Amino acid sequence: MANMAQAIRMALHYAEEKLGVTDIFGEDVGAPLGGVFTCTQGLKTTWNSPLDERGIIGAAMGIAMGGGRPVAEIQFCDYVYNTIDLLKLAGNTCWSSNGDWNLPMVVRTPVGSGIRGSIYHSHSFDATMTHIPGWKVVMPSTPLDAYGLLISACKEQNPVMFLEPKALLRVKGEERIPGEPDDDRALSKLIDAPLGDRSQWVPQWPQLEEYAVPIGKGKLVREGTQVTVVSYGRTLPLCARAAATLADEGLSVEVIDLRSLWPYDWEMIKSSVQKTGRVLFVNEDTEVTNFGEHLMRRTVEELFYSLLAAPRLVAGKFVPGIGLADTLEMASVPQQNDITTALRTLANEQP
Amino acid sequence: MSRPRLIKESSAPLPLDRELLVRIHDLMVKTRTLEERLIQMYKQGHGYFWIGGPGEEAFNVPLGLLMKKGQGPEYDYLHAHYRQSGTLLALGEEPIGALRQMKNTATDPYSGGRNFAGHFSLRKYNVAPVSSPIEVQYAIAPGTAMVQKRLGGDGITIVTGGDAGTAEGDFASCLVWSSRPANPLPILIIVTNNKWGISTSGDGQHGETRVSDRGKAFNIQSKTINGNDPVEAYQELKAAMEYVRKERKPFLLEAMVSRLYGHSSASGANYVADEVDCLKTFEARLEQEGVLTRQQMDDLRNRYTEEMAAAARTARDEPLPAPETIWKHIFAEDK
C-alpha cells in the first residue's frame, strides 16, 4: 500500500492532470529533490521558489487571483508563522470584498512531532489555523484520506490548509488508493525517484481514479458504546490502538477521525457523545487555547445533559518547543500510554 | 534617472493632446473634490476613518487612464494601496461608490460596508482588494504576473505602495520574485514617495539615495519621476508600461508626490500648505498654455463639489448592511 507521501504525490498528479492545478511550488518542491518529504517528486507543474515564505503565500494568492490554481508548500509549518497576516488576508478576501473575489488555493505544510525535529521542525498548526476564518483546514491520518482530501482541496473555490502529520508520511496505509498497483514495490518503482542522478528519470503514473473525501466529513474509525475519542493526524492511530487495547479489557471505545478541522463534522461527534456519554479529545498542539478546547466547549454547551463524565483533552504540553532528546519529545506530546490511560480513567469515572 | 522638478520650472509647451489634458484635469478635479468630500464626511461623523491620497492625483489619474481595463489575465492587474481614488475614477468608477464605502452602507460596491474608505476591490477591472497592512500587495502581485507571463499577450501586473512601506520584507520579495533570471515577470512596481510614513519622515528611514536605486541590485530597469506633474507621469508611465508589456520584464518606478492632507484622519486630515499641490500647478500651466480658462476650471470644480455633496447626501440616507449578513461570503460558493 502507498504511504502518505506517495498518496499526496499521486493526488497532486491527478490534480494537475484532471483538476486544473497549474503550480505546485515551494522551497525544494521541484526537481531535483521533489520536496524534503518526497511529496512532489516527478510532477509536471512543480517549481522551486525563492526561500521566502511570505513570497510563497503571496504568490499563491496572486496566482489564484489571476485564474491559476496553485498548491503551495511551506516546508515546515514552523516557518508559516511569519505569513500569518497573509493567511488572514487570504481568508478574508472573499468576505471583505463582499463575495467579489475568491481564492482557490491550497497550502500544504507538514506539522507535528515524530521525526525528532527539535524546536523548529515539530510545531503543530491546527490551533493557529483554525483561528483564521475563511480557510478550510484538513489533516488526514491515512494515505487514502490524504489522497481524497487533497483531491477535494484542489477542487475548492476557497483557500484550503492541508496539514500533513509528518510522523505519518512514511507509514503505509491499510487501504489502497484507487488505481494504485497491488504490489508496494511495483508502486515504488513507478513513482519514487531513484537515489543519485535523477536527471533522466520520468515517473510512470498508475491509472489513478478520482476519490474525493468531502471536506467537513469525519470518519468513524471504530464503533464503540462506552466512550468516544475524537482525534486527527498523528494521534489518531494512537487512539485507534488504545481502543483496540481497551477492547481486550472489555471496554468499548468509539474512535472518530475528524479529518477536517474546519468545517468539522459536529453531527458525528454529537451522535457519538449522545450514545457514549463520555468523550476524550486528543491532539498534539499545545494545550492552552487548543482546538480541542473549542470542541470541549461546544460539547459542554450543547451536550451537557448527555454527559456521564467531564469531557477531557489530551494535548501537547504548554512549553515553548519540543526538545531534541527522545525523552523530551516523548514528554512533550501525547504518547500511546497517555491516551490509553486517559480513556481508561474517563470510562471508569463515576459522578 | 530624471531629476524631480516643479511644473512651474517648465517652459516647454504641453506635449499631450488638448483632449487628453482636459480629460486628465477633469479627473484630477473629480478626484480632489471626492477626497475633500470624504474628509468632510469623516469630520461630520458620517464615517469612522478617512485615509486617501489627495496630492497624488497627477500620478494616479494617468495610471488609471493607461491601464488595459478588463477582467482576467489578458488585462492589467492593479494591486493598489489606499491612496488611489484617482486611479479608480480614471478606470471609470463613479465617486458615489467611494462615498458609500465611507458611509459603510450596504450599497458600498467595494466591500458592502465592511472595509475602510479607499480600500477598493473591483474584480471586473482586476483591482485586487486593498489591504490595511501595508505592502502585502507586493508579495501577492508576482502571482498574477506569473499567470500573465505564462499566458502570453500583453497584460501586465501593476503594484503600488508608499515609500515608507518599502522597509517591509514584502517589497524585497517583490523585487526578488519579479527578477529571477529564469522567469522575469511582466510587473510594473510602483512606489509613490511622499516622504512620509504616517508621522515619520523619510529622511530618518531611507539610506538609499532613491528608492528606485534598489532596482539596480536586481537588474530591474528603474526610474524616479516627478509624480506631481501629470504630463511627466503620463509619459513616463506610458513608457514604463510599454516596456513591461513588450519585454515581459519588471520595471521599478518611483514617483515623487505630495501628501496634501496628511496621512489619514489620524493626523487630522487638514490641508498642508507647504506641499506642492499638483492640481494648482497643473491648472496654472493649463491656463498659461491656453488650454482652459480660470473660469472654466472654477466652474468645473464647483460643479463637482456640488455633485459630491449631492452624492454624499444620497449615501447618507442608504441603509447599513443587515446584521445577519456577517455570515455571507465567508466562503465562495461554487461558481
Coordinates of all heavy atoms in Angstrom, one line a residue, chain A residues 22-23 25 47-50 52 54-56 58-59 61-63 65-68 85-86 89 91 93-102 134-136 157-158 262, chain B residues 73 77 79 110-112 114-115 121-123 126-129 131 133 136 139-140 143-144 146-147 150 170 173 176-177 180 325-326 328-335:
Chain A
T22 N -2.3 24.3 -11.6 CA -1.3 24.9 -12.5 C 0.1 25.1 -11.9 O 1.1 25.1 -12.7 CB -1.7 26.3 -12.9 OG1 -1.9 27.1 -11.7 CG2 -3.0 26.3 -13.7
D23 N 0.2 25.2 -10.6 CA 1.5 25.4 -10.0 C 1.6 24.7 -8.7 O 0.8 24.9 -7.8 CB 1.7 26.9 -9.7 CG 1.7 27.8 -10.9 OD1 0.6 28.1 -11.4 OD2 2.8 28.2 -11.4
F25 N 4.4 24.5 -5.9 CA 5.7 25.1 -5.7 C 5.9 25.4 -4.2 O 5.1 25.3 -3.4 CB 5.7 26.5 -6.5 CG 4.7 27.5 -6.0 CD1 5.2 28.6 -5.2 CD2 3.4 27.4 -6.2 CE1 4.4 29.5 -4.7 CE2 2.5 28.4 -5.7 CZ 3.0 29.5 -5.0
W47 N 7.8 23.7 -9.2 CA 9.0 24.6 -9.4 C 9.4 25.0 -8.0 O 8.7 25.0 -7.0 CB 8.7 25.8 -10.3 CG 7.4 26.5 -10.1 CD1 6.2 26.3 -10.6 CD2 7.3 27.7 -9.3 NE1 5.3 27.2 -10.3 CE2 5.9 28.2 -9.5 CE3 8.1 28.5 -8.6 CZ2 5.4 29.3 -8.9 CZ3 7.6 29.7 -8.0 CH2 6.3 30.0 -8.1
N48 N 10.7 25.4 -8.0 CA 11.4 25.8 -6.8 C 11.2 27.3 -6.6 O 11.6 28.1 -7.5 CB 12.9 25.4 -6.8 CG 13.1 23.9 -6.7 OD1 12.3 23.2 -6.1 ND2 14.1 23.4 -7.4
S49 N 10.7 27.7 -5.5 CA 10.5 29.1 -5.2 C 11.8 29.6 -4.5 O 12.6 28.9 -4.0 CB 9.3 29.3 -4.3 OG 9.7 28.9 -2.9
P50 N 11.9 31.0 -4.5 CA 12.9 31.5 -3.5 C 12.6 31.1 -2.1 O 11.5 30.7 -1.8 CB 12.7 33.1 -3.7 CG 12.1 33.2 -5.1 CD 11.2 32.0 -5.2
D52 N 11.5 32.0 0.7 CA 10.7 33.2 1.1 C 9.3 32.8 1.4 O 8.5 32.7 0.4 CB 10.9 34.2 0.0 CG 10.0 35.5 0.3 OD1 9.5 35.7 1.4 OD2 9.8 36.2 -0.7
R54 N 6.8 34.3 2.9 CA 5.8 35.3 2.6 C 5.6 35.4 1.0 O 4.5 35.6 0.5 CB 6.2 36.7 3.1 CG 6.2 36.7 4.6 CD 6.4 38.2 5.2 NE 5.4 39.1 4.7 CZ 4.2 39.3 5.4 NH1 3.9 38.5 6.4 NH2 3.4 40.1 4.9
G55 N 6.7 35.3 0.3 CA 6.6 35.3 -1.1 C 5.8 34.1 -1.6 O 5.0 34.2 -2.6
I56 N 6.0 33.0 -1.0 CA 5.2 31.8 -1.4 C 3.7 31.9 -1.2 O 2.9 31.7 -2.1 CB 5.8 30.5 -0.6 CG1 7.2 30.2 -1.0 CG2 4.8 29.3 -0.8 CD1 7.9 29.2 -0.2
G58 N 2.1 34.7 -0.8 CA 1.7 35.9 -1.6 C 1.5 35.4 -3.0 O 0.5 35.7 -3.7
A59 N 2.5 34.7 -3.6 CA 2.4 34.2 -5.0 C 1.2 33.3 -5.2 O 0.5 33.4 -6.2 CB 3.7 33.5 -5.3
M61 N -1.6 33.4 -3.6 CA -2.8 34.3 -3.6 C -2.9 35.0 -5.0 O -3.9 35.1 -5.6 CB -2.7 35.4 -2.5 CG -2.8 34.8 -1.1 SD -2.4 36.0 0.2 CE -3.8 37.1 0.0
G62 N -1.7 35.5 -5.5 CA -1.8 36.2 -6.8 C -2.1 35.2 -7.9 O -2.9 35.5 -8.8
I63 N -1.5 34.0 -7.9 CA -1.8 33.0 -8.9 C -3.3 32.7 -8.9 O -4.0 32.6 -10.0 CB -1.0 31.8 -8.8 CG1 0.5 32.1 -9.1 CG2 -1.5 30.6 -9.6 CD1 1.5 31.0 -8.6
M65 N -5.7 34.6 -7.8 CA -6.4 35.8 -8.3 C -6.3 35.9 -9.9 O -7.3 36.3 -10.5 CB -5.8 37.1 -7.8 CG -6.2 37.5 -6.4 SD -5.4 39.0 -6.0 CE -5.9 39.1 -4.3
G66 N -5.2 35.4 -10.4 CA -5.0 35.5 -11.8 C -5.7 34.4 -12.6 O -5.6 34.4 -13.8
G67 N -6.4 33.5 -11.9 CA -7.1 32.4 -12.6 C -6.3 31.1 -12.6 O -6.8 30.1 -13.2
G68 N -5.2 31.0 -12.0 CA -4.4 29.8 -11.8 C -5.0 29.0 -10.7 O -5.9 29.5 -9.9
D85 N -0.3 37.2 8.6 CA -1.2 38.3 8.1 C -1.6 38.0 6.7 O -2.7 38.4 6.3 CB -0.6 39.7 8.3 CG 0.7 39.9 7.5 OD1 1.5 38.9 7.4 OD2 1.0 41.0 7.0
L86 N -0.7 37.4 5.9 CA -1.1 37.0 4.6 C -2.2 35.9 4.6 O -3.1 35.8 3.8 CB 0.1 36.5 3.8 CG 1.0 37.6 3.3 CD1 2.3 37.1 2.8 CD2 0.4 38.5 2.2
L89 N -5.3 37.5 5.4 CA -5.8 38.2 4.2 C -6.4 37.2 3.2 O -7.5 37.5 2.6 CB -4.6 38.9 3.5 CG -4.9 40.1 2.5 CD1 -5.7 41.2 3.2 CD2 -3.6 40.6 2.0
G91 N -7.8 34.5 3.9 CA -9.0 34.0 4.5 C -10.1 35.1 4.4 O -11.3 34.7 4.4
T93 N -10.4 37.6 2.1 CA -10.5 38.2 0.8 C -12.0 38.1 0.2 O -12.5 39.1 -0.3 CB -9.5 37.7 -0.2 OG1 -8.2 38.1 0.2 CG2 -9.8 38.2 -1.7
C94 N -12.6 37.0 0.3 CA -13.9 36.8 -0.2 C -14.9 37.6 0.6 O -15.7 38.4 0.1 CB -14.3 35.3 -0.1 SG -15.9 35.0 -0.9
W95 N -14.7 37.6 1.9 CA -15.7 38.3 2.8 C -15.5 39.8 2.7 O -16.5 40.5 2.6 CB -15.4 37.9 4.3 CG -16.4 38.2 5.3 CD1 -17.6 37.6 5.6 CD2 -16.4 39.4 6.1 NE1 -18.3 38.2 6.6 CE2 -17.6 39.4 6.9 CE3 -15.6 40.5 6.3 CZ2 -17.9 40.3 7.8 CZ3 -15.9 41.5 7.2 CH2 -17.0 41.4 7.9
S96 N -14.2 40.3 2.7 CA -14.0 41.7 2.7 C -14.4 42.3 1.4 O -14.7 43.5 1.3 CB -12.6 42.1 3.1 OG -11.7 41.6 2.0
S97 N -14.4 41.6 0.3 CA -14.8 42.1 -1.0 C -16.2 41.8 -1.3 O -16.7 41.9 -2.4 CB -13.9 41.5 -2.1 OG -14.1 40.1 -2.3
N98 N -16.9 41.4 -0.2 CA -18.4 41.1 -0.3 C -18.7 40.1 -1.4 O -19.6 40.2 -2.1 CB -19.1 42.5 -0.6 CG -20.5 42.5 0.0 OD1 -20.8 41.7 0.9 ND2 -21.4 43.4 -0.4
G99 N -17.8 39.1 -1.5 CA -18.0 38.0 -2.4 C -17.5 38.2 -3.8 O -17.7 37.4 -4.7
D100 N -16.8 39.3 -4.0 CA -16.3 39.6 -5.4 C -15.2 38.7 -5.8 O -15.1 38.2 -6.9 CB -15.9 41.1 -5.4 CG -15.8 41.7 -6.8 OD1 -16.4 41.1 -7.7 OD2 -15.1 42.7 -7.0
W101 N -14.2 38.6 -4.9 CA -13.0 37.8 -5.2 C -13.1 36.5 -4.3 O -13.5 36.5 -3.2 CB -11.8 38.5 -4.8 CG -11.4 39.7 -5.6 CD1 -11.8 41.0 -5.5 CD2 -10.5 39.6 -6.8 NE1 -11.2 41.7 -6.5 CE2 -10.4 40.9 -7.3 CE3 -9.8 38.6 -7.5 CZ2 -9.7 41.2 -8.4 CZ3 -9.1 38.9 -8.6 CH2 -9.0 40.2 -9.1
N102 N -12.6 35.4 -4.9 CA -12.3 34.2 -4.1 C -11.0 33.6 -4.5 O -10.5 33.9 -5.6 CB -13.4 33.2 -4.3 CG -13.5 32.7 -5.7 OD1 -13.8 33.5 -6.6 ND2 -13.3 31.4 -5.9
G134 N -12.3 31.8 7.1 CA -12.2 31.9 5.7 C -11.4 30.8 5.0 O -11.4 30.7 3.8
W135 N -10.7 30.0 5.8 CA -10.0 28.8 5.3 C -10.7 27.6 5.7 O -11.4 27.5 6.7 CB -8.6 28.8 6.0 CG -7.6 29.7 5.5 CD1 -7.5 31.1 5.8 CD2 -6.5 29.4 4.6 NE1 -6.4 31.6 5.1 CE2 -5.8 30.6 4.4 CE3 -6.1 28.3 3.9 CZ2 -4.7 30.7 3.6 CZ3 -4.9 28.4 3.1 CH2 -4.3 29.6 2.9
K136 N -10.5 26.6 4.8 CA -10.9 25.2 5.2 C -9.6 24.5 5.6 O -8.5 24.8 5.0 CB -11.6 24.5 4.0 CG -12.9 25.3 3.7 CD -13.8 24.5 2.7 CE -15.1 25.3 2.5 NZ -16.0 24.7 1.6
Q157 N -13.1 26.2 -4.2 CA -13.1 27.6 -4.6 C -12.5 28.5 -3.6 O -12.3 29.7 -3.8 CB -14.5 28.1 -4.9 CG -15.2 27.4 -6.0 CD -14.5 27.5 -7.3 OE1 -14.0 28.6 -7.7 NE2 -14.4 26.4 -8.1
N158 N -12.1 27.9 -2.4 CA -11.6 28.7 -1.3 C -10.3 28.2 -0.9 O -9.9 27.1 -1.2 CB -12.6 28.5 -0.1 CG -14.0 29.0 -0.5 OD1 -14.2 30.2 -0.5 ND2 -14.9 28.1 -0.7
W262 N -11.9 22.4 9.9 CA -12.9 23.5 9.6 C -13.3 23.4 8.1 O -12.5 23.5 7.3 CB -12.3 24.9 9.9 CG -13.5 25.8 9.9 CD1 -14.1 26.5 8.9 CD2 -14.3 26.0 11.1 NE1 -15.2 27.1 9.3 CE2 -15.4 26.9 10.6 CE3 -14.3 25.6 12.4 CZ2 -16.4 27.3 11.5 CZ3 -15.3 26.1 13.3 CH2 -16.3 26.9 12.8
Chain B
P73 N -6.5 37.6 -16.8 CA -5.1 37.8 -17.1 C -4.8 38.4 -18.4 O -3.6 38.9 -18.6 CB -4.5 36.4 -16.9 CG -5.6 35.4 -17.1 CD -6.9 36.1 -16.7
Y77 N -3.6 43.8 -14.1 CA -4.0 43.7 -12.7 C -3.4 44.9 -12.0 O -2.3 45.4 -12.2 CB -3.4 42.5 -12.1 CG -4.2 41.2 -12.4 CD1 -3.9 40.5 -13.5 CD2 -5.3 40.9 -11.6 CE1 -4.7 39.4 -13.9 CE2 -6.1 39.7 -12.0 CZ -5.7 39.0 -13.1 OH -6.5 37.9 -13.4
H79 N -2.7 45.9 -8.1 CA -2.6 45.6 -6.6 C -2.3 47.0 -6.0 O -1.1 47.4 -5.8 CB -1.5 44.6 -6.4 CG -1.7 43.3 -7.1 ND1 -2.3 42.3 -6.4 CD2 -1.4 42.9 -8.3 CE1 -2.4 41.2 -7.3 NE2 -1.9 41.6 -8.4
Y110 N -17.5 48.1 -3.0 CA -16.2 47.5 -2.9 C -16.1 46.6 -1.7 O -15.2 45.7 -1.7 CB -15.1 48.7 -2.7 CG -15.3 49.7 -3.8 CD1 -15.6 51.0 -3.5 CD2 -15.1 49.3 -5.1 CE1 -15.8 52.0 -4.5 CE2 -15.3 50.3 -6.1 CZ -15.6 51.6 -5.8 OH -15.8 52.5 -6.8
S111 N -17.0 46.7 -0.7 CA -16.9 45.8 0.4 C -18.2 45.6 1.2 O -18.2 44.9 2.2 CB -15.8 46.3 1.4 OG -16.3 47.5 2.1
G112 N -19.2 46.2 0.7 CA -20.5 46.0 1.3 C -20.5 46.6 2.8 O -21.2 46.0 3.6
R114 N -17.9 46.8 4.7 CA -17.1 46.0 5.6 C -15.7 46.6 5.8 O -14.9 46.3 6.7 CB -16.9 44.6 5.1 CG -18.2 43.9 5.1 CD -18.2 42.5 4.4 NE -19.5 41.9 4.6 CZ -19.7 40.6 4.3 NH1 -18.7 39.8 3.9 NH2 -20.9 40.0 4.6
N115 N -15.3 47.5 4.9 CA -13.9 48.0 4.9 C -13.8 49.5 4.8 O -14.8 50.2 4.5 CB -13.2 47.4 3.7 CG -11.7 47.0 4.0 OD1 -11.2 47.6 5.0 ND2 -11.2 46.1 3.3
S121 N -11.9 47.3 -4.2 CA -11.8 46.0 -4.7 C -12.8 45.9 -5.9 O -13.9 46.2 -5.7 CB -12.2 45.0 -3.6 OG -12.4 43.7 -4.1
L122 N -12.3 45.5 -7.0 CA -13.1 45.5 -8.2 C -12.6 44.5 -9.2 O -11.8 44.7 -10.0 CB -12.9 46.9 -8.8 CG -14.0 47.5 -9.7 CD1 -15.4 47.5 -9.0 CD2 -13.7 48.9 -10.2
R123 N -13.2 43.3 -9.0 CA -12.8 42.2 -9.8 C -13.0 42.5 -11.3 O -12.2 42.0 -12.2 CB -13.5 40.9 -9.4 CG -12.9 39.7 -10.0 CD -13.5 38.4 -9.4 NE -12.6 37.3 -9.8 CZ -12.7 36.1 -9.2 NH1 -13.6 35.9 -8.2 NH2 -11.9 35.1 -9.6
N126 N -10.0 43.9 -12.5 CA -8.7 43.3 -12.0 C -8.1 44.2 -10.9 O -6.9 44.2 -10.7 CB -7.7 43.2 -13.1 CG -7.9 41.9 -14.0 OD1 -8.8 41.1 -13.7 ND2 -7.2 41.8 -15.1
V127 N -8.9 44.9 -10.1 CA -8.4 45.6 -9.0 C -8.4 44.7 -7.8 O -9.5 44.4 -7.3 CB -9.1 47.0 -8.7 CG1 -8.6 47.7 -7.5 CG2 -9.0 47.9 -10.0
A128 N -7.3 44.3 -7.3 CA -7.3 43.3 -6.2 C -7.7 44.1 -4.9 O -7.5 45.3 -4.8 CB -5.9 42.8 -6.0
P129 N -8.3 43.4 -3.9 CA -8.7 44.1 -2.7 C -7.5 44.8 -2.0 O -6.5 44.2 -1.9 CB -9.2 42.9 -1.8 CG -9.6 41.8 -2.8 CD -8.6 42.0 -3.9
S131 N -5.5 46.2 1.0 CA -5.3 45.8 2.4 C -4.9 46.9 3.3 O -4.1 47.8 2.9 CB -4.2 44.7 2.4 OG -3.6 44.6 3.6
P133 N -2.9 46.4 6.2 CA -1.5 46.2 6.4 C -0.8 46.5 5.1 O -1.1 46.0 4.0 CB -1.4 44.7 6.6 CG -2.7 44.2 7.1 CD -3.7 45.1 6.4
V136 N 1.7 44.3 1.7 CA 1.4 42.9 1.4 C 1.1 42.7 -0.1 O 1.4 41.6 -0.6 CB 0.3 42.3 2.3 CG1 0.6 42.3 3.7 CG2 -1.0 43.1 2.1
A139 N 3.9 41.2 -2.2 CA 4.1 39.8 -2.1 C 3.1 39.0 -3.0 O 3.4 38.0 -3.5 CB 4.0 39.3 -0.7
I140 N 1.9 39.6 -3.2 CA 0.9 39.0 -4.0 C 1.0 39.2 -5.5 O 0.8 38.3 -6.3 CB -0.5 39.5 -3.5 CG1 -0.7 39.1 -2.0 CG2 -1.6 38.9 -4.3 CD1 -1.8 39.8 -1.3
G143 N 2.3 36.9 -8.3 CA 1.4 35.7 -8.7 C 0.6 36.0 -9.9 O 0.6 35.2 -10.8
T144 N 0.0 37.2 -9.9 CA -0.8 37.5 -11.2 C 0.1 37.7 -12.3 O -0.2 37.3 -13.5 CB -1.7 38.7 -11.0 OG1 -0.9 39.8 -10.4 CG2 -2.8 38.5 -10.0
M146 N 2.9 36.1 -12.9 CA 3.3 34.8 -13.3 C 2.2 34.2 -14.3 O 2.6 33.6 -15.3 CB 3.5 33.8 -12.1 CG 4.9 33.8 -11.6 SD 5.0 32.6 -10.2 CE 5.1 33.8 -8.9
V147 N 1.0 34.3 -13.9 CA -0.1 33.8 -14.7 C -0.1 34.5 -16.1 O -0.2 33.9 -17.1 CB -1.5 34.0 -14.0 CG1 -2.6 33.6 -15.0 CG2 -1.5 33.1 -12.8
R150 N 2.8 33.4 -18.3 CA 2.6 32.1 -18.9 C 1.6 32.2 -20.1 O 1.7 31.5 -21.1 CB 2.0 31.1 -17.8 CG 2.0 29.7 -18.2 CD 1.5 28.9 -17.0 NE 2.4 28.9 -15.9 CZ 2.1 28.8 -14.6 NH1 0.8 28.6 -14.3 NH2 3.0 28.8 -13.7
D170 N 8.1 42.4 2.2 CA 7.3 42.1 1.0 C 7.8 42.9 -0.2 O 7.7 42.5 -1.3 CB 5.9 42.4 1.3 CG 5.3 41.4 2.3 OD1 5.9 40.4 2.6 OD2 4.2 41.7 2.8
S173 N 10.6 41.0 -1.4 CA 10.0 39.8 -2.0 C 9.7 40.1 -3.5 O 10.0 39.3 -4.4 CB 8.8 39.3 -1.3 OG 9.1 38.7 -0.1
V176 N 12.7 40.3 -5.7 CA 13.3 39.0 -5.9 C 12.5 38.2 -6.8 O 13.0 37.6 -7.8 CB 13.5 38.3 -4.5 CG1 13.9 36.8 -4.7 CG2 14.5 39.0 -3.6
W177 N 11.2 38.1 -6.6 CA 10.3 37.2 -7.4 C 10.1 37.7 -8.8 O 9.9 37.0 -9.7 CB 9.0 37.0 -6.7 CG 9.0 36.1 -5.5 CD1 9.6 36.4 -4.3 CD2 8.4 34.8 -5.3 NE1 9.4 35.3 -3.4 CE2 8.7 34.4 -4.0 CE3 7.7 34.0 -6.2 CZ2 8.3 33.1 -3.5 CZ3 7.2 32.8 -5.7 CH2 7.5 32.3 -4.4
R180 N 13.8 37.0 -11.1 CA 14.5 35.8 -11.2 C 14.9 35.6 -12.7 O 14.1 35.6 -13.6 CB 13.7 34.6 -10.7 CG 13.5 34.6 -9.2 CD 12.8 33.4 -8.7 NE 11.4 33.4 -9.2 CZ 10.7 32.3 -9.5 NH1 11.3 31.1 -9.2 NH2 9.5 32.3 -9.9
T325 N -26.0 39.7 7.7 CA -25.1 39.5 6.6 C -23.6 39.2 6.9 O -22.8 39.0 6.0 CB -25.2 40.7 5.6 OG1 -24.7 41.9 6.3 CG2 -26.6 41.0 5.1
I326 N -23.3 39.3 8.2 CA -21.9 38.9 8.6 C -21.6 37.5 8.2 O -20.4 37.1 8.0 CB -21.7 39.0 10.1 CG1 -22.6 38.2 10.9 CG2 -21.7 40.5 10.5 CD1 -22.2 38.1 12.4
K328 N -22.5 36.1 5.4 CA -22.4 36.0 3.9 C -21.0 36.1 3.4 O -20.2 36.9 3.9 CB -23.3 37.0 3.2 CG -24.7 36.7 3.3 CD -25.5 37.8 2.5 CE -25.5 37.5 1.0 NZ -26.3 38.5 0.3
H329 N -20.6 35.3 2.5 CA -19.3 35.4 1.8 C -18.1 35.0 2.6 O -17.0 35.4 2.3 CB -19.1 36.8 1.2 CG -20.2 37.3 0.4 ND1 -20.7 36.6 -0.7 CD2 -21.0 38.4 0.5 CE1 -21.7 37.2 -1.3 NE2 -21.9 38.3 -0.6
I330 N -18.3 34.3 3.7 CA -17.1 33.7 4.4 C -16.4 32.8 3.4 O -15.2 32.7 3.3 CB -17.5 33.0 5.7 CG1 -18.1 34.0 6.7 CG2 -16.3 32.3 6.3 CD1 -18.7 33.4 7.9
F331 N -17.2 32.0 2.7 CA -16.7 31.1 1.7 C -17.4 31.4 0.4 O -18.6 31.8 0.4 CB -16.9 29.6 2.0 CG -16.1 29.2 3.2 CD1 -16.7 28.7 4.4 CD2 -14.7 29.1 3.1 CE1 -15.9 28.3 5.4 CE2 -13.9 28.7 4.1 CZ -14.5 28.3 5.3
A332 N -16.7 31.2 -0.7 CA -17.3 31.4 -2.0 C -18.1 30.1 -2.3 O -17.7 29.0 -2.0 CB -16.2 31.6 -3.1
E333 N -19.2 30.4 -2.9 CA -20.0 29.2 -3.4 C -19.3 28.7 -4.7 O -18.6 29.5 -5.4 CB -21.4 29.6 -3.7 CG -22.1 30.3 -2.6 CD -22.2 29.4 -1.3 OE1 -22.3 28.2 -1.5 OE2 -22.1 29.9 -0.2
D334 N -19.6 27.5 -5.1 CA -19.1 27.0 -6.4 C -19.6 27.9 -7.5 O -20.8 28.2 -7.5 CB -19.4 25.6 -6.6 CG -18.5 24.7 -5.8 OD1 -17.4 25.1 -5.5 OD2 -18.8 23.5 -5.6
K335 N -18.7 28.3 -8.4 CA -19.2 29.1 -9.5 C -19.3 28.3 -10.8 O -18.6 27.3 -10.9 CB -18.2 30.3 -9.7 CG -18.2 31.2 -8.5 CD -17.3 32.4 -8.7 CE -17.4 33.4 -7.5 NZ -16.5 34.5 -7.6

